Amino acid sequence: MATKAKTVFYCTSCGNESPKWMGRCPACGEWNTMVEAPVESKKGPAAVSGRSAARPDRRPQRLREIDYSQEARISLGMGEVDRILGGGMVPGSLVLIGGEPGIGKSTLSLQIPLCCKDLRTLYVTGEESARQVGMRARRLGGDDSNCSIFCETLIGTVIEEARAMMPDLMIVDSVQTMYTDTVESAPGSVSQIKEVAAALLRFAKESGVPVILIGHITKDGYIAGPKILEHIVDVVLQFEGENRGSYRILRSIKNRFGSTAELAVFEMTGSGLREVPNPSEMLIPMHEQGLSGTAIAAMLDGTRPLLFEVQALVSSAVYGTAQRSATGFDTRRLNMLLAVLEKRAGFHLSAKDVFLNMAGGLRVSDPAVDLAVICAVLSSNFDFAIPSDVCFAGEVGLSGEIRPVGQIDRRVQEAARLGFKKIFVSSFAKVEVKPEGIRVIKVADVPALVKALFK
Ligand code: TYD
Ligand code: MG
């Protein structure tokens, strides 16, 4: 009697597995993310249990007996990428670069072997022909590097080739086009993606070859996507930016070997991606006089201070209920700050529409941006321009107090370096540096700030 092929359901958001379909994933609470996939064949290498055949000598080791000597990191030739990874790539690690189609993932990963000519690289592509990759390499200004292009989509063959070549770096573009014949579903499905990533991880750990894996995310984040991959890989880098604009931001959202708070900025030019080592200079507008509705925030991304423009637009609400919308900033936090302005400083904004935008397509979560947000809102509300040589760094509390933020000295130094004349901080902040040309103005609460700024 023919038996029906067994299937299971996966959540595309968190990878949770369930024997039956559910409208809402019980693990992550997302709606409508369950997709059906055949049960994986137990003949594949994933089913190997117990002691691994490849490493029969594996035993628990004491911490102090562990050999750290091979932990030297591999430099990828692009300073900003190395910095994001925490100082280069760790041998045997699996790094996922995720992003929307067309954002520049293939360009970035091809530029790495072109920048670092002595790195023997195996570039596996399932999306383009060798000719296409070659033409792109020429356009990016170099085809004399030590990089081999391999057009293949069967992951077993890819790994076999990589074992034979033992490159210094392997790049796989992209996880959605690779497949394994141990699973029956189509390339790009959840079970294929999981198997391909697990196979690459095993290869990386056993051989010590670092692997960069590229993954597409769709606009709405659905489809069997890199979300479930995040659990498998060592490092997740997200490449984002507005497709129309030329700036791209690479941020680390998971890193087993470094900080996740780092961020790097690139510019897409006619000849590939260019690193922007001083993003503050690009994020700060060039207008001589300040415009109303803008304020400069001194935030910290990981270890690096970054100054950028916060823009607000406050207008009378057309409909009964006022609209609040924020791009790059948490809308709930915006609502909270507006409530503080209303309740603690007496500004009536409840009948006003408020739109907020972080310049350059940034997404911020540093609470130090609060102060610039309320200044931008007030500036737009009163149509009063804040002088362009003033910047802000402080968190706003629920009772309207301005709270100190971490690493204030670095923010003050960066503001001074960029030629700012005044920086507003909390009166509890301990500023120890005194850079030339900048005045540190301390304010205790929102009313004091308004008095100092808009008097
Ligand atoms: P690509 O790396 O193919 O994106 P992804 O792999 O993430 O899908 O990059 C696609 C875009 O980058 C494409 O629209 C053209 C642009 N681009 C440039 O502007 N300059 C260049 O030198 C290159 C190679 C691409
Ligand atoms: Mg691509």
mmCIF file of all heavy atoms in Angstrom, residues 116-161:
data_model
loop_
_atom_site.group_PDB
_atom_site.id
_atom_site.type_symbol
_atom_site.label_atom_id
_atom_site.label_comp_id
_atom_site.label_asym_id
_atom_site.label_seq_id
_atom_site.Cartn_x
_atom_site.Cartn_y
_atom_site.Cartn_z
ATOM 1 N N CYS A 116 41.553 41.580 -1.447
ATOM 2 C CA CYS A 116 42.591 40.841 -0.745
ATOM 3 C C CYS A 116 43.134 39.800 -1.715
ATOM 4 O O CYS A 116 42.656 38.667 -1.767
ATOM 5 C CB CYS A 116 41.953 40.176 0.470
ATOM 6 S SG CYS A 116 43.107 39.840 1.755
ATOM 7 N N LYS A 117 44.115 40.203 -2.517
ATOM 8 C CA LYS A 117 44.511 39.388 -3.672
ATOM 9 C C LYS A 117 45.190 38.069 -3.301
ATOM 10 O O LYS A 117 45.159 37.116 -4.071
ATOM 11 C CB LYS A 117 45.418 40.208 -4.585
ATOM 12 C CG LYS A 117 44.687 41.396 -5.211
ATOM 13 C CD LYS A 117 45.210 41.680 -6.574
ATOM 14 C CE LYS A 117 44.587 42.850 -7.283
ATOM 15 N NZ LYS A 117 43.317 43.353 -6.874
ATOM 16 N N ASP A 118 45.806 37.992 -2.117
ATOM 17 C CA ASP A 118 46.478 36.721 -1.800
ATOM 18 C C ASP A 118 45.567 35.733 -1.070
ATOM 19 O O ASP A 118 46.018 34.676 -0.642
ATOM 20 C CB ASP A 118 47.786 36.951 -1.033
ATOM 21 C CG ASP A 118 47.667 38.073 -0.045
ATOM 22 O OD1 ASP A 118 46.748 38.891 -0.241
ATOM 23 O OD2 ASP A 118 48.460 38.156 0.898
ATOM 24 N N LEU A 119 44.288 36.075 -0.946
ATOM 25 C CA LEU A 119 43.342 35.169 -0.316
ATOM 26 C C LEU A 119 42.819 34.200 -1.377
ATOM 27 O O LEU A 119 42.181 34.612 -2.343
ATOM 28 C CB LEU A 119 42.181 35.996 0.241
ATOM 29 C CG LEU A 119 41.414 35.487 1.437
ATOM 30 C CD1 LEU A 119 42.319 35.400 2.650
ATOM 31 C CD2 LEU A 119 40.260 36.426 1.750
ATOM 32 N N ARG A 120 43.116 32.895 -1.232
ATOM 33 C CA ARG A 120 42.603 31.930 -2.213
ATOM 34 C C ARG A 120 41.126 31.706 -1.930
ATOM 35 O O ARG A 120 40.764 31.131 -0.920
ATOM 36 C CB ARG A 120 43.364 30.617 -2.103
ATOM 37 C CG ARG A 120 44.697 30.636 -2.841
ATOM 38 C CD ARG A 120 45.451 29.335 -2.682
ATOM 39 N NE ARG A 120 44.763 28.187 -3.214
ATOM 40 C CZ ARG A 120 44.283 27.177 -2.478
ATOM 41 N NH1 ARG A 120 44.409 27.182 -1.175
ATOM 42 N NH2 ARG A 120 43.684 26.157 -3.046
ATOM 43 N N THR A 121 40.294 32.184 -2.838
ATOM 44 C CA THR A 121 38.860 32.166 -2.570
ATOM 45 C C THR A 121 38.128 31.275 -3.558
ATOM 46 O O THR A 121 38.450 31.258 -4.741
ATOM 47 C CB THR A 121 38.302 33.596 -2.692
ATOM 48 O OG1 THR A 121 39.145 34.463 -1.953
ATOM 49 C CG2 THR A 121 36.899 33.691 -2.163
ATOM 50 N N LEU A 122 37.135 30.557 -3.051
ATOM 51 C CA LEU A 122 36.235 29.799 -3.917
ATOM 52 C C LEU A 122 34.889 30.502 -3.861
ATOM 53 O O LEU A 122 34.260 30.570 -2.807
ATOM 54 C CB LEU A 122 36.112 28.353 -3.427
ATOM 55 C CG LEU A 122 35.170 27.465 -4.237
ATOM 56 C CD1 LEU A 122 35.645 27.332 -5.664
ATOM 57 C CD2 LEU A 122 35.054 26.086 -3.601
ATOM 58 N N TYR A 123 34.498 31.075 -4.991
ATOM 59 C CA TYR A 123 33.237 31.811 -5.054
ATOM 60 C C TYR A 123 32.214 30.930 -5.763
ATOM 61 O O TYR A 123 32.299 30.716 -6.966
ATOM 62 C CB TYR A 123 33.465 33.131 -5.807
ATOM 63 C CG TYR A 123 32.284 34.064 -5.823
ATOM 64 C CD1 TYR A 123 32.207 35.138 -4.952
ATOM 65 C CD2 TYR A 123 31.235 33.875 -6.704
ATOM 66 C CE1 TYR A 123 31.127 35.993 -4.960
ATOM 67 C CE2 TYR A 123 30.141 34.715 -6.718
ATOM 68 C CZ TYR A 123 30.102 35.778 -5.852
ATOM 69 O OH TYR A 123 29.024 36.630 -5.848
ATOM 70 N N VAL A 124 31.266 30.394 -4.996
ATOM 71 C CA VAL A 124 30.270 29.487 -5.564
ATOM 72 C C VAL A 124 29.023 30.288 -5.857
ATOM 73 O O VAL A 124 28.514 30.989 -4.984
ATOM 74 C CB VAL A 124 29.922 28.363 -4.564
ATOM 75 C CG1 VAL A 124 28.928 27.409 -5.182
ATOM 76 C CG2 VAL A 124 31.169 27.644 -4.115
ATOM 77 N N THR A 125 28.542 30.219 -7.089
ATOM 78 C CA THR A 125 27.340 30.966 -7.386
ATOM 79 C C THR A 125 26.290 30.080 -8.036
ATOM 80 O O THR A 125 26.601 29.269 -8.898
ATOM 81 C CB THR A 125 27.630 32.220 -8.256
ATOM 82 O OG1 THR A 125 26.384 32.767 -8.659
ATOM 83 C CG2 THR A 125 28.467 31.902 -9.468
ATOM 84 N N GLY A 126 25.075 30.230 -7.570
ATOM 85 C CA GLY A 126 23.963 29.504 -8.153
ATOM 86 C C GLY A 126 23.044 30.470 -8.863
ATOM 87 O O GLY A 126 21.965 30.117 -9.300
ATOM 88 N N GLU A 127 23.448 31.718 -8.918
ATOM 89 C CA GLU A 127 22.563 32.750 -9.462
ATOM 90 C C GLU A 127 23.048 33.284 -10.791
ATOM 91 O O GLU A 127 22.253 33.706 -11.608
ATOM 92 C CB GLU A 127 22.479 33.922 -8.481
ATOM 93 C CG GLU A 127 22.022 33.505 -7.114
ATOM 94 C CD GLU A 127 21.329 34.622 -6.376
ATOM 95 O OE1 GLU A 127 21.703 35.778 -6.606
ATOM 96 O OE2 GLU A 127 20.437 34.311 -5.582
ATOM 97 N N GLU A 128 24.368 33.305 -10.980
ATOM 98 C CA GLU A 128 24.892 33.930 -12.191
ATOM 99 C C GLU A 128 25.848 32.958 -12.879
ATOM 100 O O GLU A 128 26.332 32.024 -12.263
ATOM 101 C CB GLU A 128 25.658 35.208 -11.825
ATOM 102 C CG GLU A 128 24.768 36.311 -11.331
ATOM 103 C CD GLU A 128 25.497 37.298 -10.445
ATOM 104 O OE1 GLU A 128 26.096 36.866 -9.437
ATOM 105 O OE2 GLU A 128 25.500 38.479 -10.758
ATOM 106 N N SER A 129 26.154 33.236 -14.143
ATOM 107 C CA SER A 129 27.135 32.404 -14.835
ATOM 108 C C SER A 129 28.525 32.945 -14.517
ATOM 109 O O SER A 129 28.673 34.081 -14.053
ATOM 110 C CB SER A 129 26.895 32.455 -16.335
ATOM 111 O OG SER A 129 27.158 33.763 -16.803
ATOM 112 N N ALA A 130 29.539 32.111 -14.779
ATOM 113 C CA ALA A 130 30.916 32.533 -14.496
ATOM 114 C C ALA A 130 31.247 33.801 -15.278
ATOM 115 O O ALA A 130 31.950 34.685 -14.792
ATOM 116 C CB ALA A 130 31.879 31.411 -14.868
ATOM 117 N N ARG A 131 30.700 33.884 -16.500
ATOM 118 C CA ARG A 131 30.942 35.050 -17.334
ATOM 119 C C ARG A 131 30.390 36.323 -16.680
ATOM 120 O O ARG A 131 31.052 37.365 -16.630
ATOM 121 C CB ARG A 131 30.240 34.836 -18.669
ATOM 122 C CG ARG A 131 31.077 35.183 -19.873
ATOM 123 C CD ARG A 131 30.270 34.810 -21.105
ATOM 124 N NE ARG A 131 29.542 35.985 -21.588
ATOM 125 C CZ ARG A 131 30.095 36.911 -22.356
ATOM 126 N NH1 ARG A 131 31.337 36.802 -22.736
ATOM 127 N NH2 ARG A 131 29.397 37.951 -22.752
ATOM 128 N N GLN A 132 29.178 36.192 -16.152
ATOM 129 C CA GLN A 132 28.558 37.355 -15.506
ATOM 130 C C GLN A 132 29.374 37.806 -14.303
ATOM 131 O O GLN A 132 29.609 38.994 -14.112
ATOM 132 C CB GLN A 132 27.138 37.006 -15.050
ATOM 133 C CG GLN A 132 26.113 37.071 -16.154
ATOM 134 C CD GLN A 132 24.765 36.566 -15.671
ATOM 135 O OE1 GLN A 132 24.687 35.520 -15.026
ATOM 136 N NE2 GLN A 132 23.723 37.297 -15.976
ATOM 137 N N VAL A 133 29.817 36.825 -13.509
ATOM 138 C CA VAL A 133 30.612 37.180 -12.325
ATOM 139 C C VAL A 133 31.925 37.817 -12.778
ATOM 140 O O VAL A 133 32.394 38.805 -12.211
ATOM 141 C CB VAL A 133 30.871 35.949 -11.436
ATOM 142 C CG1 VAL A 133 31.718 36.312 -10.238
ATOM 143 C CG2 VAL A 133 29.566 35.338 -10.980
ATOM 144 N N GLY A 134 32.498 37.245 -13.850
ATOM 145 C CA GLY A 134 33.756 37.776 -14.375
ATOM 146 C C GLY A 134 33.601 39.210 -14.838
ATOM 147 O O GLY A 134 34.459 40.068 -14.565
ATOM 148 N N MET A 135 32.482 39.490 -15.518
ATOM 149 C CA MET A 135 32.266 40.856 -15.996
ATOM 150 C C MET A 135 32.107 41.805 -14.827
ATOM 151 O O MET A 135 32.600 42.930 -14.852
ATOM 152 C CB MET A 135 31.015 40.897 -16.875
ATOM 153 C CG MET A 135 31.325 40.631 -18.339
ATOM 154 S SD MET A 135 29.894 40.074 -19.256
ATOM 155 C CE MET A 135 28.703 41.334 -18.908
ATOM 156 N N ARG A 136 31.431 41.335 -13.802
ATOM 157 C CA ARG A 136 31.262 42.190 -12.630
ATOM 158 C C ARG A 136 32.610 42.449 -11.962
ATOM 159 O O ARG A 136 32.910 43.566 -11.552
ATOM 160 C CB ARG A 136 30.311 41.533 -11.637
ATOM 161 C CG ARG A 136 30.123 42.351 -10.396
ATOM 162 C CD ARG A 136 29.253 41.679 -9.404
ATOM 163 N NE ARG A 136 27.956 41.347 -9.961
ATOM 164 C CZ ARG A 136 26.842 41.284 -9.243
ATOM 165 N NH1 ARG A 136 26.896 41.547 -7.974
ATOM 166 N NH2 ARG A 136 25.713 40.953 -9.778
ATOM 167 N N ALA A 137 33.433 41.383 -11.895
ATOM 168 C CA ALA A 137 34.749 41.537 -11.273
ATOM 169 C C ALA A 137 35.568 42.577 -12.040
ATOM 170 O O ALA A 137 36.244 43.420 -11.444
ATOM 171 C CB ALA A 137 35.484 40.206 -11.244
ATOM 172 N N ARG A 138 35.459 42.533 -13.363
ATOM 173 C CA ARG A 138 36.211 43.494 -14.178
ATOM 174 C C ARG A 138 35.718 44.897 -13.886
ATOM 175 O O ARG A 138 36.485 45.838 -13.770
ATOM 176 C CB ARG A 138 36.026 43.144 -15.653
ATOM 177 C CG ARG A 138 37.108 43.724 -16.526
ATOM 178 C CD ARG A 138 37.238 42.966 -17.817
ATOM 179 N NE ARG A 138 37.698 41.598 -17.628
ATOM 180 C CZ ARG A 138 37.768 40.712 -18.609
ATOM 181 N NH1 ARG A 138 37.388 41.044 -19.826
ATOM 182 N NH2 ARG A 138 38.210 39.498 -18.383
ATOM 183 N N ARG A 139 34.395 45.024 -13.750
ATOM 184 C CA ARG A 139 33.809 46.324 -13.480
ATOM 185 C C ARG A 139 34.250 46.843 -12.112
ATOM 186 O O ARG A 139 34.409 48.036 -11.892
ATOM 187 C CB ARG A 139 32.298 46.166 -13.522
ATOM 188 C CG ARG A 139 31.581 47.448 -13.370
ATOM 189 C CD ARG A 139 30.153 47.269 -13.816
ATOM 190 N NE ARG A 139 29.357 48.310 -13.187
ATOM 191 C CZ ARG A 139 28.065 48.219 -12.990
ATOM 192 N NH1 ARG A 139 27.428 47.151 -13.364
ATOM 193 N NH2 ARG A 139 27.420 49.190 -12.414
ATOM 194 N N LEU A 140 34.433 45.909 -11.183
ATOM 195 C CA LEU A 140 34.850 46.305 -9.842
ATOM 196 C C LEU A 140 36.351 46.577 -9.797
ATOM 197 O O LEU A 140 36.902 46.839 -8.727
ATOM 198 C CB LEU A 140 34.491 45.215 -8.826
ATOM 199 C CG LEU A 140 33.003 44.948 -8.660
ATOM 200 C CD1 LEU A 140 32.757 43.775 -7.742
ATOM 201 C CD2 LEU A 140 32.309 46.178 -8.108
ATOM 202 N N GLY A 141 36.994 46.462 -10.920
ATOM 203 C CA GLY A 141 38.384 46.903 -10.993
ATOM 204 C C GLY A 141 39.407 45.835 -10.684
ATOM 205 O O GLY A 141 40.429 46.110 -10.059
ATOM 206 N N GLY A 142 39.171 44.599 -11.080
ATOM 207 C CA GLY A 142 40.243 43.624 -10.890
ATOM 208 C C GLY A 142 39.803 42.225 -11.220
ATOM 209 O O GLY A 142 38.803 41.759 -10.689
ATOM 210 N N ASP A 143 40.497 41.554 -12.125
ATOM 211 C CA ASP A 143 40.206 40.145 -12.327
ATOM 212 C C ASP A 143 41.492 39.336 -12.195
ATOM 213 O O ASP A 143 41.603 38.227 -12.661
ATOM 214 C CB ASP A 143 39.512 39.895 -13.680
ATOM 215 C CG ASP A 143 40.207 40.609 -14.821
ATOM 216 O OD1 ASP A 143 41.272 41.212 -14.568
ATOM 217 O OD2 ASP A 143 39.697 40.567 -15.943
ATOM 218 N N ASP A 144 42.497 39.946 -11.569
ATOM 219 C CA ASP A 144 43.778 39.264 -11.411
ATOM 220 C C ASP A 144 43.912 38.659 -10.013
ATOM 221 O O ASP A 144 44.994 38.340 -9.572
ATOM 222 C CB ASP A 144 44.927 40.249 -11.660
ATOM 223 C CG ASP A 144 44.874 41.433 -10.706
ATOM 224 O OD1 ASP A 144 43.769 41.705 -10.196
ATOM 225 O OD2 ASP A 144 45.914 42.060 -10.466
ATOM 226 N N SER A 145 42.766 38.517 -9.314
ATOM 227 C CA SER A 145 42.882 38.039 -7.932
ATOM 228 C C SER A 145 42.943 36.509 -7.919
ATOM 229 O O SER A 145 42.820 35.854 -8.941
ATOM 230 C CB SER A 145 41.690 38.503 -7.125
ATOM 231 O OG SER A 145 40.575 37.785 -7.541
ATOM 232 N N ASN A 146 43.092 35.978 -6.734
ATOM 233 C CA ASN A 146 43.246 34.546 -6.544
ATOM 234 C C ASN A 146 41.892 33.900 -6.279
ATOM 235 O O ASN A 146 41.729 33.131 -5.350
ATOM 236 C CB ASN A 146 44.169 34.349 -5.342
ATOM 237 C CG ASN A 146 45.121 33.225 -5.577
ATOM 238 O OD1 ASN A 146 44.818 32.303 -6.319
ATOM 239 N ND2 ASN A 146 46.268 33.308 -4.944
ATOM 240 N N CYS A 147 40.924 34.274 -7.093
ATOM 241 C CA CYS A 147 39.548 33.852 -6.816
ATOM 242 C C CYS A 147 39.048 32.934 -7.925
ATOM 243 O O CYS A 147 39.202 33.238 -9.102
ATOM 244 C CB CYS A 147 38.673 35.099 -6.731
ATOM 245 S SG CYS A 147 36.938 34.757 -6.527
ATOM 246 N N SER A 148 38.484 31.776 -7.553
ATOM 247 C CA SER A 148 37.932 30.868 -8.559
ATOM 248 C C SER A 148 36.421 30.904 -8.473
ATOM 249 O O SER A 148 35.860 30.899 -7.378
ATOM 250 C CB SER A 148 38.396 29.443 -8.296
ATOM 251 O OG SER A 148 39.763 29.425 -8.015
ATOM 252 N N ILE A 149 35.785 30.923 -9.639
ATOM 253 C CA ILE A 149 34.325 30.957 -9.697
ATOM 254 C C ILE A 149 33.825 29.545 -9.991
ATOM 255 O O ILE A 149 34.348 28.871 -10.877
ATOM 256 C CB ILE A 149 33.839 31.899 -10.827
ATOM 257 C CG1 ILE A 149 34.562 33.240 -10.776
ATOM 258 C CG2 ILE A 149 32.329 32.072 -10.787
ATOM 259 C CD1 ILE A 149 34.246 34.070 -9.591
ATOM 260 N N PHE A 150 32.842 29.103 -9.243
ATOM 261 C CA PHE A 150 32.293 27.760 -9.435
ATOM 262 C C PHE A 150 30.783 27.890 -9.521
ATOM 263 O O PHE A 150 30.141 28.323 -8.566
ATOM 264 C CB PHE A 150 32.723 26.886 -8.250
ATOM 265 C CG PHE A 150 32.346 25.435 -8.376
ATOM 266 C CD1 PHE A 150 32.341 24.802 -9.612
ATOM 267 C CD2 PHE A 150 32.026 24.694 -7.248
ATOM 268 C CE1 PHE A 150 32.007 23.463 -9.713
ATOM 269 C CE2 PHE A 150 31.692 23.355 -7.345
ATOM 270 C CZ PHE A 150 31.685 22.737 -8.591
ATOM 271 N N CYS A 151 30.209 27.540 -10.684
ATOM 272 C CA CYS A 151 28.761 27.626 -10.852
ATOM 273 C C CYS A 151 28.169 26.258 -10.551
ATOM 274 O O CYS A 151 28.314 25.333 -11.348
ATOM 275 C CB CYS A 151 28.391 28.027 -12.272
ATOM 276 S SG CYS A 151 29.058 29.610 -12.705
ATOM 277 N N GLU A 152 27.524 26.131 -9.408
ATOM 278 C CA GLU A 152 26.988 24.833 -8.998
ATOM 279 C C GLU A 152 25.897 25.082 -7.964
ATOM 280 O O GLU A 152 25.966 26.039 -7.203
ATOM 281 C CB GLU A 152 28.120 23.978 -8.399
ATOM 282 C CG GLU A 152 27.708 22.625 -7.876
ATOM 283 C CD GLU A 152 27.055 21.749 -8.926
ATOM 284 O OE1 GLU A 152 27.721 21.399 -9.911
ATOM 285 O OE2 GLU A 152 25.864 21.431 -8.756
ATOM 286 N N THR A 153 24.884 24.211 -7.972
ATOM 287 C CA THR A 153 23.824 24.395 -6.984
ATOM 288 C C THR A 153 23.640 23.179 -6.076
ATOM 289 O O THR A 153 22.944 23.282 -5.075
ATOM 290 C CB THR A 153 22.470 24.700 -7.671
ATOM 291 O OG1 THR A 153 22.268 23.734 -8.679
ATOM 292 C CG2 THR A 153 22.456 26.083 -8.281
ATOM 293 N N LEU A 154 24.260 22.052 -6.416
ATOM 294 C CA LEU A 154 24.131 20.886 -5.544
ATOM 295 C C LEU A 154 25.180 20.993 -4.437
ATOM 296 O O LEU A 154 26.382 20.999 -4.706
ATOM 297 C CB LEU A 154 24.339 19.602 -6.358
ATOM 298 C CG LEU A 154 24.149 18.301 -5.582
ATOM 299 C CD1 LEU A 154 22.730 18.185 -5.048
ATOM 300 C CD2 LEU A 154 24.489 17.104 -6.448
ATOM 301 N N ILE A 155 24.719 21.091 -3.212
ATOM 302 C CA ILE A 155 25.628 21.445 -2.112
ATOM 303 C C ILE A 155 26.685 20.355 -1.888
ATOM 304 O O ILE A 155 27.825 20.659 -1.514
ATOM 305 C CB ILE A 155 24.835 21.791 -0.827
ATOM 306 C CG1 ILE A 155 25.718 22.561 0.165
ATOM 307 C CG2 ILE A 155 24.243 20.585 -0.160
ATOM 308 C CD1 ILE A 155 26.053 23.945 -0.259
ATOM 309 N N GLY A 156 26.315 19.101 -2.154
ATOM 310 C CA GLY A 156 27.283 18.011 -1.982
ATOM 311 C C GLY A 156 28.486 18.214 -2.897
ATOM 312 O O GLY A 156 29.644 18.057 -2.471
ATOM 313 N N THR A 157 28.232 18.576 -4.151
ATOM 314 C CA THR A 157 29.311 18.816 -5.111
ATOM 315 C C THR A 157 30.152 20.021 -4.692
ATOM 316 O O THR A 157 31.381 20.015 -4.812
ATOM 317 C CB THR A 157 28.703 19.076 -6.510
ATOM 318 O OG1 THR A 157 27.667 18.144 -6.721
ATOM 319 C CG2 THR A 157 29.736 18.976 -7.585
ATOM 320 N N VAL A 158 29.473 21.042 -4.212
ATOM 321 C CA VAL A 158 30.175 22.250 -3.775
ATOM 322 C C VAL A 158 31.160 21.905 -2.665
ATOM 323 O O VAL A 158 32.338 22.293 -2.695
ATOM 324 C CB VAL A 158 29.159 23.308 -3.273
ATOM 325 C CG1 VAL A 158 29.846 24.433 -2.542
ATOM 326 C CG2 VAL A 158 28.337 23.829 -4.436
ATOM 327 N N ILE A 159 30.691 21.130 -1.696
ATOM 328 C CA ILE A 159 31.544 20.810 -0.551
ATOM 329 C C ILE A 159 32.684 19.888 -0.974
ATOM 330 O O ILE A 159 33.825 20.045 -0.522
ATOM 331 C CB ILE A 159 30.693 20.231 0.594
ATOM 332 C CG1 ILE A 159 29.854 21.370 1.175
ATOM 333 C CG2 ILE A 159 31.555 19.585 1.673
ATOM 334 C CD1 ILE A 159 28.926 20.993 2.266
ATOM 335 N N GLU A 160 32.391 18.958 -1.896
ATOM 336 C CA GLU A 160 33.438 18.076 -2.410
ATOM 337 C C GLU A 160 34.554 18.902 -3.057
ATOM 338 O O GLU A 160 35.744 18.689 -2.809
ATOM 339 C CB GLU A 160 32.823 17.187 -3.490
ATOM 340 C CG GLU A 160 33.120 15.712 -3.347
ATOM 341 C CD GLU A 160 32.202 14.947 -4.277
ATOM 342 O OE1 GLU A 160 32.439 14.996 -5.493
ATOM 343 O OE2 GLU A 160 31.239 14.338 -3.764
ATOM 344 N N GLU A 161 34.142 19.860 -3.878
ATOM 345 C CA GLU A 161 35.100 20.721 -4.573
ATOM 346 C C GLU A 161 35.913 21.537 -3.561
ATOM 347 O O GLU A 161 37.135 21.678 -3.687
ATOM 348 C CB GLU A 161 34.323 21.655 -5.512
ATOM 349 C CG GLU A 161 35.171 22.442 -6.478
ATOM 350 C CD GLU A 161 35.982 21.549 -7.396
ATOM 351 O OE1 GLU A 161 35.424 20.563 -7.899
ATOM 352 O OE2 GLU A 161 37.181 21.845 -7.595
#
